[in-house]
Amino acid sequence: MRQDRPVSTAEIQPEETAPEETAPAEAWQPDQLPSEAVREEYQRVVDEVRRHRHAYYTEDAPLISDAEYDALYRHLEELEALHPELVANDSPTQEVGGEVSAAFTPVRHLQRMYSLEDVFSLEELQAWVERATASVARLGGDRPLRWLAEVKIDGLAVNLLYRNGELVRAATRGDGTTGEDITHNALTIKDIPTRLAGSNLPAELEIRGEVFIATSGFRELNEQMVAEGKAPFANPRNAAAGSLRQKDPAVTARRPLSMFVHGLGAREGLAAGSQSETYALLRGWGLPVSPYFQVMDSFEQVLDFIGHFGQHRHDLLHEIDGIVIKVDDFGLQRALGHTSRVPRWAVAYKYPPEEVHTKLLDIRVNVGRTGRVTPYGVMEPVKVAGSTVEMATLHNQDVVKAKGVMIGDIVVLRKAGDVIPEIVGPVVALRDAQEPKVREFVMPAECPSCGTPLAPGKEGDVDLRCPNARSCPAQLTQRVAHLAGRGAFDIEALGEEAAVALTMGPGPDPAENGGAVAPGGPGVITTEAELFDLAASHPDPELRARLADVRVWREKRSKGQGTGVFELVPYFYTRGTAKKPSVPTANTQKLFEELDKAKSQPLWRVLVALSIRHVGPTAARALATAFRTMDGIENATEEQLAHVDGVGPTIAASLKEWFAVDWHREILQRWKDAGVRMADEVDESIPRTLEGLTVVVTGSLEGFSRDEAKEAIIIRGGKASGSVSKNTNYVVAGENAGSKLDKAEQLGIPVLDEDGFRKLLETGTV
């Protein structure tokens, strides 16, 4: 006889299972019947939810983002809470999952598969935990209440049925009672064993899990789809679902599908008392159990778990959209029971949305400081991950093609925390409805800034570059902005806008260009060699005088609102009047002074400021430590440069190539004449305590900035590495240390706090 494992605590009695969840009684009164307008709104929302559920679950082609669907579904729940008399048994809020496709044989699950209740804030989660805790207390259970938290995989729910260890059936969740038979396709997934390992296996066992495609596999799959002339998938979840629902198992076998198990249905002969204990059994039988779970005793630990994976969600093997919290004990799970749709012993906390849908208005190109020409998307402004986004990188023309996006598409946009926004792909199902019709992006053949024909930097390069490095206004602008950045000279008064004003003249009236400000050219300076001629202690009167004529477009405003009318106004100087002549603004005066301060920056910052391809702060520090002077670096052989730890042959070749260009050497000479520091003084009083040691700093330290900590390591002869490996000697962990700390602990590398770091710097040991 098939049954769940019995509960040994006789004193625990299950709560009544309510057929449905409704709003509190005070939410409505019998005489407050819904108006016709409310009924129409309710039916409209029901129809919309059904339409999007069908697109998501049955067609594997969502028409809106998860965040938009969640908002729509919650609106439906609010309407039903206010007007419970409208709720019918076939309301989407009373159903589990989606429909069963006629393309597959329907099969009935031995035990129903439920959905999960979703919460969208930590306050809602805390309220749910408090309700569950109170319910357990009312039931009189004497077991300690422990929570199992695991990441919520963004995949397709499946049910595997094993009899005496043999896989006899695989099915989708379907409507929770009946699913689609996908056995032949599931057999192609390497993670799913056809026979369980070990002995004394359960006579009958339903395994619930999630089929997914890893993030790296998803990118490769979409590139392959586009190369074959097929529409790319919108996201990994729908790629997994579409792959598992193929009529031909051979097609499924070619897709990079994986699976993690996360629960049980019917079971006969299973001796386990908790979810976590079951995971250990399942792993021993050869089933794939997610490594991302933890059992904990308090809500505070649950919050820490949520916070950790919120920070590291993009470091995982697969996409996640939240955290699932379950009561670990099977006896308490059974006592708490279910509603008609969800278990009362589990909940899903959903992270704030990082993916939204918006319209791709155009694809334009940007010319970078090394000449690389990068396409980027211009979109209808949309709020995602807490900020409004209207532009996102598309990397190069091959990426545009691989993603399958066209101008005019509705696209999936992702912004993970502070990461640059990314266009994931198009919502192909909406393409035919777009007006005007979508069109393909064509990469320009000439530089949009200077008109020079574009070409790869070298044979085999995917990226196209503008070879006119010396005279291209766009490249000069980006180089000036870069050299003023925090990783180079750190000139606060010289931001992106000031760099544009210095290097480019104003373009056409933005009112005639759809409101977009288009820079012209050339500007006040035609090479970065001239920059320090503006410094307070080394001014070039003629160059400074030209600043007075620099104009930029500004939109006129009325009562704080834009008018759509633009005017040319001075950028570096005040507006002059008959009584008050135009003079440098306070910010311009600050720029003159900060240019003087920048001259005393250490050698490695000067190296970074030169925009030498591949030379970032790490390589620049290593070079400055090894050679101490700019002349020493310039005169070193390629072999000597490559031998420096952290440099290597690619950077060495790039350095020799850069120094071989005459106008590059002119920049160095002009800067040197203006007083820019070209050598580091060796402080003989600082002992070389870290000679031969590799140290990684992660997190925030109170007494050191990240750069200061690295500098302290390097001047004592150590290597300041950015990644943890078996060759790392010490890891210094400050506040909010992340995955580097985790890896150090896994590898058994000594971890130091700030006090330990100071001692290491002093003595070379702890």
Side-chain angles (χ1 to χ4, degrees):
M1 176 179 171
R2 186 189 316 116
Q3 60 182 16
D4 288 352
R5 181 178 179 273
V7 184
S8 59
T9 50
E11 72 275 15
I12 296 181
Q13 298 297 322
E15 293 184 339
E16 271 188 40
T17 300
E20 58 192 39
E21 297 271 342
T22 59
E26 64 268 23
W28 72 289
Q29 297 298 325
D31 59 344
Q32 295 175 334
L33 294 176
S35 66
E36 189 61 32
V38 169
R39 290 179 182 277
E40 288 178 1
E41 169 67 0
Y42 175 74
Q43 191 57 52
R44 182 193 70 79
V45 176
V46 166
D47 292 344
E48 276 291 284
V49 169
R50 284 179 177 150
R51 181 167 77 95
H52 291 301
R53 282 165 68 98
H54 179 81
Y56 184 88
Y57 287 109
T58 306
E59 301 296 329
D60 302 318
L63 304 176
I64 58 177
S65 68
D66 286 354
E68 291 168 308
Y69 176 79
D70 286 340
L72 183 67
Y73 190 86
R74 297 201 98 183
H75 181 39
L76 177 60
E77 289 180 317
E78 289 165 0
L79 287 171
E80 292 186 345
L82 289 171
H83 306 286
E85 69 277 17
L86 292 176
V87 184
N89 288 336
D90 64 347
S91 166
T93 63
Q94 309 303 305
E95 298 172 345
V96 175
E99 310 156 16
V100 177
S101 172
F104 292 87
T105 304
V107 291
R108 194 174 181 86
H109 305 309
L110 303 184
Q111 190 176 100
R112 189 176 183 188
M113 294 181 72
Y114 289 87
S115 293
L116 285 172
E117 179 181 349
D118 291 334
V119 295
F120 297 88
S121 71
L122 296 178
E123 290 76 19
E124 287 181 286
L125 176 61
Q126 183 173 6
W128 183 91
V129 167
E130 289 172 352
R131 287 197 304 272
T133 303
S135 295
V136 169
R138 285 197 305 272
L139 291 168
D142 58 359
R143 293 194 185 100
L145 187 54
R146 306 187 76 203
W147 306 102
L148 182 143
E150 59 193 353
V151 300
K152 186 175 183 294
I153 304 168
D154 198 9
L156 179 72
V158 297
N159 186 44
L160 307 176
L161 176 59
Y162 286 89
R163 291 198 174 112
N164 296 315
E166 295 284 348
L167 178 64
V168 296
R169 191 172 70 207
T172 63
R173 180 172 61 181
D175 63 8
T177 301
T178 303
E180 303 152 329
D181 190 332
I182 53 166
T183 307
H184 292 301
N185 288 347
L187 289 171
T188 69
I189 302 174
K190 65 181 185 306
D191 291 339
I192 299 178
T194 56
R195 165 99 191 149
L196 299 181
S199 56
N200 299 319
L201 299 168
E204 192 165 61
L205 185 64
E206 281 185 313
I207 302 290
R208 272 76 194 266
E210 207 83 8
V211 170
F212 64 90
I213 291 180
T215 307
S216 58
F218 174 67
R219 286 195 295 268
E220 293 169 3
L221 174 61
N222 262 358
E223 289 174 7
Q224 178 186 330
M225 296 286 285
V226 172
E228 293 172 358
K230 300 174 184 175
F233 290 105
N235 55 53
R237 186 268 169 199
N238 295 102
S243 300
L244 206 51
R245 286 194 173 110
Q246 291 292 318
K247 280 295 202 177
D248 183 0
V251 176
T252 304
R254 292 196 294 270
R255 303 283 172 81
L257 295 170
S258 300
M259 179 184 178
F260 282 147
V261 301
H262 56 58
L264 300 175
R267 65 203 82 161
E268 182 180 347
L270 176 68
S274 69
Q275 191 90 22
S276 53
E277 187 181 340
T278 300
Y279 283 176
L281 286 173
L282 297 180
R283 187 180 287 113
W285 293 335
L287 286 158
V289 176
S290 171
Y292 311 120
F293 81 90
Q294 184 179 333
V295 180
M296 49 204 74
D297 300 311
S298 69
F299 181 61
E300 289 69 28
Q301 290 175 311
V302 172
L303 291 179
D304 288 343
F305 187 90
I306 289 170
H308 173 80
F309 282 102
Q311 288 182 348
H312 299 287
R313 60 189 294 187
H314 301 289
D315 301 334
L316 275 56
L317 175 69
H318 51 70
E319 292 292 325
I320 67 171
D321 60 358
I323 299 294
V324 177
I325 298 96
K326 303 174 181 177
V327 172
D328 189 41
D329 186 282
F330 278 159
L332 295 179
Q333 284 186 14
R334 190 173 175 192
L336 288 168
H338 301 74
T339 70
S340 62
R341 195 176 64 88
V342 300
R344 288 195 178 97
W345 46 265
V347 70
Y349 167 77
K350 301 289 283 287
Y351 286 119
E354 292 188 317
E355 285 190 357
V356 296
H357 288 187
T358 189
K359 188 169 186 176
L360 180 63
L361 302 174
D362 198 4
I363 298 177
R364 301 173 186 166
V365 296
N366 176 63
V367 184
R369 62 191 171 92
T370 60
R372 180 184 173 194
V373 180
T374 306
Y376 65 94
V378 179
M379 299 157 297
E380 289 183 349
V382 62
K383 193 163 187 177
V384 54
S387 60
T388 300
V389 174
E390 51 188 320
M391 289 187 290
T393 182
L394 282 163
H395 302 292
N396 59 52
Q397 69 275 17
D398 284 7
V399 170
V400 177
K401 183 178 179 181
K403 288 179 182 289
V405 292
M406 295 188 179
I407 298 166
D409 267 333
I410 300 297
V411 295
V412 179
L413 177 71
R414 172 186 295 159
K415 183 174 183 286
D418 294 328
V419 177
I420 296 170
E422 175 194 8
I423 293 172
V424 179
V427 184
V428 178
L430 297 177
R431 182 171 281 168
D432 292 341
Q434 295 308 304
E435 290 294 344
K437 295 299 182 186
V438 299
R439 68 183 193 278
E440 287 189 24
F441 165 71
V442 179
M443 190 73 175
E446 297 177 344
C447 174
S449 181
C450 67
T452 303
L454 302 178
K458 61 179 184 295
E459 188 177 349
D461 274 3
V462 173
D463 297 330
L464 295 179
R465 295 180 183 273
C466 170
N468 181 23
R470 183 172 192 173
S471 305
C472 177
Q475 290 185 61
L476 174 61
T477 299
Q478 293 300 320
R479 291 200 302 269
V480 169
H482 168 75
L483 70 82
R486 297 179 77 175
F489 281 124
D490 194 15
I491 304 169
E492 188 179 335
L494 184 52
E496 184 85 29
E497 189 181 48
V500 172
L502 268 177
T503 58
M504 292 188 180
D509 187 338
E512 301 171 3
N513 194 31
V517 177
V524 172
I525 66 172
T526 57
T527 169
E528 58 265 53
E530 300 169 333
L531 183 63
F532 287 95
D533 293 340
L534 294 169
S537 63
H538 188 81
D540 180 327
E542 184 180 339
L543 192 61
R544 279 199 178 183
R546 292 208 295 269
L547 292 179
D549 297 326
V550 174
R551 299 285 189 275
V552 296
W553 288 106
R554 287 277 190 268
E555 185 177 11
K556 290 185 176 180
R557 305 186 73 79
S558 175
K559 297 180 180 179
Q561 300 296 317
T563 62
V565 177
F566 291 79
E567 62 176 338
L568 281 170
V569 299
Y571 185 84
F572 293 104
Y573 274 61
T574 61
R575 296 194 196 210
T577 65
K579 295 182 178 179
K580 195 173 183 180
S582 177
V583 295
T585 66
N587 203 58
T588 302
Q589 290 287 7
K590 185 178 180 182
L591 172 61
F592 298 156
E593 293 162 8
E594 286 194 354
L595 283 168
D596 264 332
K597 292 179 186 176
K599 296 177 188 178
S600 61
Q601 290 283 23
L603 178 61
W604 73 266
R605 287 183 175 273
V606 181
L607 276 169
V608 173
L610 292 171
S611 285
I612 303 172
R613 196 175 177 194
H614 305 305
V615 178
T618 300
R621 280 192 178 94
L623 289 162
T625 301
F627 296 101
R628 298 292 178 187
T629 69
M630 189 66 75
D631 286 343
I633 296 169
E634 181 177 0
N635 295 326
T637 66
E638 191 167 328
E639 291 74 22
Q640 288 172 325
L641 293 168
H643 187 68
V644 174
D645 190 20
V647 177
T650 300
I651 295 175
S654 185
L655 283 160
K656 297 307 292 183
E657 183 181 320
W658 191 90
F659 280 110
V661 177
D662 56 359
W663 66 271
H664 288 165
R665 295 194 302 275
E666 181 187 335
I667 293 170
L668 285 176
Q669 189 59 51
R670 290 281 291 273
W671 285 5
K672 187 176 181 180
D673 292 344
V676 175
R677 177 175 165 181
M678 294 291 167
D680 282 341
E681 296 177 5
V682 180
D683 189 343
E684 300 293 348
S685 67
I686 298 177
R688 306 277 288 179
T689 51
L690 303 186
E691 200 79 58
L693 296 181
T694 298
V695 183
V696 174
V697 178
T698 180
S700 302
L701 302 177
E702 284 187 16
F704 299 84
S705 68
R706 187 65 61 86
D707 285 340
E708 287 169 345
K710 288 183 177 179
E711 194 74 23
I713 294 165
I714 291 168
I715 62 177
R716 288 165 175 81
K719 177 183 177 182
S721 178
S723 59
V724 179
S725 72
K726 62 182 180 180
N727 297 320
T728 303
N729 297 102
Y730 296 97
V731 170
V732 179
E735 287 292 321
N736 301 316
S739 57
K740 293 176 186 176
L741 174 58
D742 297 336
K743 189 168 184 181
E745 290 171 344
Q746 290 170 10
L747 295 174
I749 294 166
V751 177
L752 309 179
D753 60 12
E754 188 162 346
D755 289 339
F757 180 45
R758 291 182 186 279
K759 184 178 178 184
L760 181 69
L761 294 174
E762 263 182 57
T763 65
T765 183
V766 292

